[in-house]
Amino acid sequence: MQMDVRHREILDELRRSGRVQVDDLAAHLGTSSMTIRRDLEHLAGVGALRRVRGGAVGPALHGEGLPFSVRAVDDQDLKARLAAAAVAHIVDGEAVAVDSGTTGAAAAAELAGRRVTAMPLSLQGIAALSSSQTVSLVLSGGTVRGAEGTIVGPIAERTIASLRFDTAILTCCAADPAAGVTAFDLGDAAIKQAIVAAASRVVLIAEGAKFALRSMAVVCALEDVDVLVTDASAPSAVLDRLRAAGVEVTVV
């Protein structure tokens, strides 16, 4: 089994149970305990988990998510499909704000072949659009949030507030049916709030697993978005509620 596949399996099990044991993982994944220990050490090194005797537990704080480098290899095919479905809602000629995160980077890559004006809010999004021959690239300024590559801070917020976008492609850390769209980082949440306020239309990308999560900083209510792009694992009751509230729902 390839290393990235093992890492994804380990993180999936950690999300399900909150704790993993070396021997159990070795038996489940059909590999050696030594290999599993190396995997856990690597994932601990990038902040995806904490090592404890005999295994590992999840990140220590409620306000922390998995690092970008770990999320980038998690469900890549699904993220690509979600990004393509979100960008399909964009019409050439639009001004588009593109949120950060792994799905935001995938959406930026999808936009690279379109004739739009785009402001990506991450270094990964900027990289995806910087060589495009058809995109008019606008940058916000601001502070870069470490390895996440997220652009945050008052400079970025003021720039966004001075502009108007046809569409904001919004991503999220969680989409709890009661709490709404939330983010782990307060600075990231402020940027998300800014692009929601500056856009005529908000397209939210939220894979089904996000509906079972809740993070600390509230961005907006789920009913405040205009379009939701999700997958078939999203809870049908929530999707029905959003449709009834006037949200256009696209399921990939």
Side-chain angles (χ1 to χ4, degrees), residues 107-203:
E110 285 288 333
L111 276 174
R114 301 292 299 276
R115 191 170 296 279
V116 296
T117 298
M119 177 182 282
L121 278 308
S122 70
L123 295 185
Q124 297 87 354
I126 293 170
L129 293 171
S130 60
S131 60
S132 171
Q133 300 301 305
T134 57
V135 172
S136 177
L137 183 61
V138 179
L139 303 183
S140 67
T143 302
V144 177
R145 223 183 105 224
E148 272 299 298
T150 308
I151 297 172
V152 298
I155 295 174
E157 291 171 38
R158 285 197 296 270
T159 301
I160 294 166
S162 71
L163 300 171
R164 289 297 175 265
F165 299 96
D166 296 298
T167 302
I169 297 178
L170 181 68
T171 64
C172 63
C173 301
D176 180 83
V181 179
T182 58
F184 287 113
D185 180 78
L186 297 179
D188 183 33
I191 293 296
K192 293 178 188 298
Q193 291 166 354
I195 63 174
V196 168
S200 298
R201 178 179 62 163
V202 177
V203 177

